[in-house]
């Protein structure tokens, strides 16, 4: 198993894409740290993994709070001595047309998606730089590349993650730390399952593969970027979008 005994922190991993990413690493032998804002959800997901005989632990955290993130990272280091891989997955949406978008809708999305990614990278940078190794993978979005009506806040936050990824890749390269991003397109989740069929068909017109992706598609890309086979890849944004943003 290619990630045997490695410690992988996945934020926003109590459900959805984050949970699928954590499951993929756990199935490859890693000890995964389930982290989400809700304590009960973290414990439930961790118990599910443990029932499957997979190595998982949970450290609930609000990624918008730098002090809380630093405390979480320190607790993980105290128990496991290192964090080999960080997956920045925590994110929210608060969609609205720009003219109707409230300041608090803008601030909330930027705070979770972009500042949360900054906070986690900031907290983990010192131990990774000291260890002279590590992988950081942030979940951006194809919307951060293309933009989208009604998602100015979300697009800005995800574009910011892409820019942050490029900058950190340059800064951390000399310490053997790879920093990359993944930009999913339309992925089949609980949220997209609620779309009307006509909306779904309209979306698929923009996807050359004519289907939505799955959380497993995103998780597979994370496994690759964190693997030894991707040692010479850094500063990149891998689009997992069925060709949507060609």
């Amino acid at each position: 198993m290619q990630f045997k005994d490695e410690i992988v922190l996945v934020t926003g991993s109590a459900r959805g894409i984050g949970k699928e990413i954590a499951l993929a690493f756990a199935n490859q032998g890693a000890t995964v740290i389930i982290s989400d804002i809700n304590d009960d959800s973290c414990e439930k997901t961790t118990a599910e993994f443990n029932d499957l005989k997979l190595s998982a632990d949970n450290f609930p955290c609000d990624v918008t709070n730098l002090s809380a993130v630093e405390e979480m990272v320190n607790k993980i280091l105290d128990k496991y001595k290192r964090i080999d891989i960080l997956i920045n997955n925590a994110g929210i949406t608060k969609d609205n047309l720009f003219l109707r978008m409230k300041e608090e809708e803008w601030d909330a999305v930027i705070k979770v998606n972009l500042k949360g990614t900054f906070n986690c990278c900031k907290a983990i940078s010192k131990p990774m730089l000291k260890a002279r190794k590590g992988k950081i993978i942030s979940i951006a979005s194809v919307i951060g590349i293309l933009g989208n009506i009604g998602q100015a806040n979300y697009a800005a936050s995800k574009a910011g993650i892409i820019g942050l990824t490029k900058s950190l890749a340059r800064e951390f390269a000399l310490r053997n730390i790879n920093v990359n991003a993944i930009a999913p397109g339309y992925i089949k989740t609980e949220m997209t399952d609620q779309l009307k069929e006509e909306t779904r068909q309209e979306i698929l017109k923009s996807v050359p593969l004519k289907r939505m992706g799955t959380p497993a598609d995103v998780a597979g890309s994370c496994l690759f970027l964190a693997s030894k086979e991707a040692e010479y890849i850094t500063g990149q944004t891998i689009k997992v979008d069925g060709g949507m943003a060609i």
Side-chain angles (χ1 to χ4, degrees):
M1 294 191 289
Q2 62 177 332
F3 296 104
K4 183 174 170 52
D5 299 327
E6 295 203 16
I7 310 300
V8 183
L9 169 59
V10 186
T11 67
S13 51
R15 60 190 181 89
I17 292 174
K19 182 178 179 180
E20 189 72 26
I21 293 170
L23 183 61
F25 277 100
N27 278 322
Q28 289 293 325
T31 293
V32 293
I33 308 299
I34 306 298
S35 183
D36 215 298
I37 195 168
N38 185 283
D39 293 37
D40 291 340
S41 296
C42 283
E43 291 180 4
K44 181 181 177 182
T45 298
T46 302
E48 289 177 14
F49 280 41
N50 293 158
D51 287 344
L52 294 171
K53 309 301 181 186
L54 299 175
S55 182
D57 202 347
N58 72 93
F59 289 80
C61 184
D62 177 0
V63 296
T64 69
N65 185 324
L66 178 58
S67 295
V69 174
E70 290 175 334
E71 182 180 356
M72 172 187 68
V73 167
N74 286 333
K75 286 180 178 178
I76 296 170
L77 292 174
D78 285 343
K79 185 171 182 177
Y80 294 100
K81 309 307 177 188
R82 68 188 195 281
I83 299 172
D84 300 296
I85 300 164
L86 166 65
I87 311 291
N88 289 304
N89 171 75
I92 62 169
T93 58
K94 287 188 178 293
D95 298 348
N96 212 340
L97 292 174
F98 189 72
L99 287 177
R100 298 176 184 170
M101 187 172 289
K102 299 175 182 177
E103 183 180 8
E104 53 264 34
E105 291 174 329
W106 174 273
D107 289 346
V109 171
I110 296 297
K111 192 173 183 180
V112 174
N113 297 3
L114 184 54
K115 188 172 188 289
T117 299
F118 163 84
N119 286 343
C120 292
C121 290
K122 181 75 171 175
I124 210 168
S125 60
K126 285 186 178 179
M128 276 195 178
L129 289 167
K130 184 177 180 180
R132 291 181 174 269
K133 66 173 186 175
K135 300 287 178 65
I136 297 174
I137 301 165
S138 299
I139 306 301
S141 171
V142 71
I143 302 304
I145 298 170
L146 297 177
N148 197 30
I149 294 171
Q151 291 192 301
N153 49 2
Y154 186 75
S157 71
K158 295 300 187 176
I161 287 174
I162 292 170
L164 177 64
T165 294
K166 293 178 180 180
S167 295
L168 294 186
R170 290 183 180 275
E171 288 192 28
F172 296 170
L174 292 178
R175 293 297 181 97
N176 198 36
I177 297 169
N178 300 70
V179 188
N180 290 291
I182 292 172
Y186 285 99
I187 305 298
K188 185 175 174 57
T189 61
E190 290 179 8
M191 182 176 67
T192 57
D193 283 343
Q194 296 173 12
L195 294 173
K196 295 180 180 179
E197 183 57 30
E198 56 265 34
T199 302
R200 193 191 316 275
Q201 292 305 317
E202 193 63 31
I203 288 171
L204 292 180
K205 288 180 183 178
S206 65
V207 182
L209 285 181
K210 300 304 177 188
R211 66 173 178 84
M212 288 189 175
T214 67
D217 291 323
V218 180
S221 298
C222 286
L223 290 178
F224 169 67
L225 286 175
S227 71
K228 291 181 172 60
E229 287 75 17
E231 291 285 350
Y232 202 55
I233 299 174
T234 196
Q236 304 304 306
T237 299
I238 307 300
K239 292 176 285 188
V240 183
D241 65 352
M244 183 180 171
I246 291 175

